[in-house]
Amino acid sequence: MQETPSCLRVGHLLPYSMSDSNTTDFTNPSTFILVGIPGLEAAHVWLSIPFCAMYIIAILGNFTILFIVKREKILHEPMYYFLCMLAITDLVLTTSILPKLLAIFWFNSREIEFSACLTQLYFVACFSAIESGIFVAMALDRYVAICDPLRHSTILTHPVVAKIGLAVVLRGGILVLPYPFLARQWPYCRTNIIPDSFCDPIAVVKLACADIRVSSYYGLSVAFLVIGLDVFFIAMSYIQILRAIFRLHTKDARLKTFGTCGSHICVILASYIPGLFSVLTHLFGHNVAVHFQILMANAYLLVPPMLHPIIYGMRTKQIRDRLLRLFTHKGM
């Protein structure tokens, strides 16, 4: 029977089901075997083309954002510091899974060491949680900029921004840290074949022949804690932002002020809506093919990192102008 993957990036911690605990003859494998996209093995080479293209665009786009912000001192502001954090997070997320995925597609290199699998598991869950925290930090920046603009520079000083960034990283790293340790302690006797293209946390733990309720409950708690609190804080920030915008006297002022939030809103929608769709598909789409769910899970880990620099590059005038000036000067 094939397993279905969890698809929400932080929701990789959501439980599938409880494993049986009546098996006593077990061995812990030194390696796992990643299937890739079950049922589409013959199309792996063709599937590698869009995945590779998305990875290249994500790498080039996010490095371009980092380069422009570092080069232009006028962009050394809280909004762009958080944007750089998002770019770094996207680079780590995509690089955590894409090289191995392409190795499966191109070279049929399906083996992954147990420790490497747990490392990949940790990075995917950890940086997904960090990314969600960065969205909250960006929402806070927009809230202060619109609701208390005169004090924006005194409230969000460089030390404060650094502390917020550190808190976001520590939260993601510490909350997810117990999960690979819990996964390491379980006995794995059923099989060492993971019906996925990367080491999804629950797909790994699901293979254990032990009572994994501790891992399941912990993962569920972390997922709801991270997603639930982050969405709540983002919603509260934008409620206050909308109230401030509607108090403006002219329509042009309202549109201009709301436009400063446009990039952030687009990025949030590009991340959370597909995640919600994936969770609903996982929970209620029992008739959905397994390969489609795994394709969605992989695409969801790749499409947002590809879209984020494009969205900010197109909708943020400061970045767009400096990007155009950079290419214009190179062309002269």
Side-chain angles (χ1 to χ4, degrees):
M1 181 176 178
Q2 293 177 310
E3 307 291 348
T4 57
S6 55
C7 295
L8 185 59
R9 293 159 82 173
V10 179
H12 284 299
L13 302 174
L14 293 172
Y16 287 71
S17 63
M18 307 307 172
S19 296
D20 298 330
S21 57
N22 57 357
T23 305
T24 56
D25 183 20
F26 61 84
T27 58
N28 285 332
S30 59
T31 60
F32 282 118
I33 305 296
L34 294 170
V35 172
I37 312 295
L40 296 179
E41 287 84 357
H44 275 179
V45 174
W46 294 107
L47 289 172
S48 70
I49 296 174
F51 279 109
C52 186
M54 286 189 287
Y55 183 50
I56 292 173
I57 294 172
I59 293 293
L60 293 178
N62 285 292
F63 269 119
T64 300
I65 293 291
L66 292 171
F67 175 76
I68 291 176
V69 174
K70 183 180 185 300
R71 175 173 173 165
E72 302 291 340
K73 291 186 177 181
I74 196 173
L75 300 181
H76 292 181
E77 298 178 358
M79 172 183 174
Y80 301 103
Y81 289 142
F82 293 138
L83 178 57
C84 286
M85 286 186 62
L86 181 64
I88 293 171
T89 302
D90 285 340
L91 288 170
V92 174
L93 269 174
T94 54
T95 304
S96 295
I97 66 167
L98 245 296
K100 183 59 182 178
L101 179 63
L102 294 178
I104 295 172
F105 285 167
W106 291 340
F107 310 112
N108 200 32
S109 176
R110 301 172 185 269
E111 287 192 359
I112 183 170
E113 292 186 3
F114 185 60
S115 296
C117 185
L118 293 183
T119 301
Q120 186 185 62
L121 173 156
Y122 176 76
F123 270 69
V124 170
C126 172
F127 281 88
S128 296
I130 290 174
E131 183 165 284
S132 184
I134 294 172
F135 292 151
V136 178
M138 288 179 160
L140 173 64
D141 172 71
R142 291 300 84 201
Y143 165 75
V144 176
I146 293 174
C147 298
D148 200 356
L150 297 179
R151 299 178 57 203
H152 181 265
S153 59
T154 58
I155 293 175
L156 290 177
T157 61
H158 288 186
V160 171
V161 171
K163 290 177 182 177
I164 293 174
L166 180 61
V168 168
V169 173
L170 289 178
R171 185 194 70 158
I174 293 173
L175 285 177
V176 176
L177 186 60
Y179 210 80
F181 286 101
L182 289 171
R184 181 181 288 275
Q185 75 175 359
W186 305 127
Y188 297 91
C189 64
R190 299 173 184 276
T191 178
N192 67 337
I193 298 176
I194 301 175
D196 209 325
S197 57
F198 66 97
C199 290
D200 181 287
I202 296 301
V204 174
V205 177
K206 180 84 173 168
L207 301 179
C209 349
D211 189 342
I212 61 169
R213 281 179 293 184
V214 173
S215 292
S216 297
Y217 292 151
Y218 182 78
L220 183 65
S221 300
V222 170
F224 277 106
L225 180 65
V226 171
I227 299 173
L229 286 180
D230 289 355
V231 170
F232 172 77
F233 287 130
I234 291 172
M236 293 304 297
S237 296
Y238 273 96
I239 288 173
Q240 297 302 317
I241 288 172
L242 290 175
R243 290 179 60 185
I245 289 175
F246 287 134
R247 285 198 295 265
L248 297 175
H249 298 293
T250 65
K251 181 179 179 181
D252 289 341
R254 288 194 291 269
L255 291 175
K256 183 178 180 180
T257 304
F258 188 75
T260 63
C261 303
S263 299
H264 186 227
I265 293 174
C266 290
V267 164
I268 290 175
L269 293 177
S271 298
Y272 283 131
I273 288 181
L276 178 62
F277 172 78
S278 297
V279 168
L280 293 176
T281 301
H282 168 64
L283 292 177
F284 305 108
H286 301 296
N287 295 325
V288 178
V290 174
H291 66 264
F292 178 77
Q293 295 190 35
I294 294 178
L295 282 171
M296 287 296 298
N298 282 276
Y300 184 51
L301 286 169
L302 292 174
V303 172
M306 177 190 69
L307 290 179
H308 292 164
I310 296 175
I311 291 171
Y312 276 102
M314 293 179 61
R315 293 191 59 88
T316 306
K317 185 177 185 300
Q318 293 87 336
I319 292 179
R320 185 173 65 248
D321 290 347
R322 280 152 183 80
L323 185 60
L324 290 174
R325 189 170 63 186
L326 178 66
F327 283 109
T328 301
H329 286 175
K330 283 189 175 182
M332 292 177 61

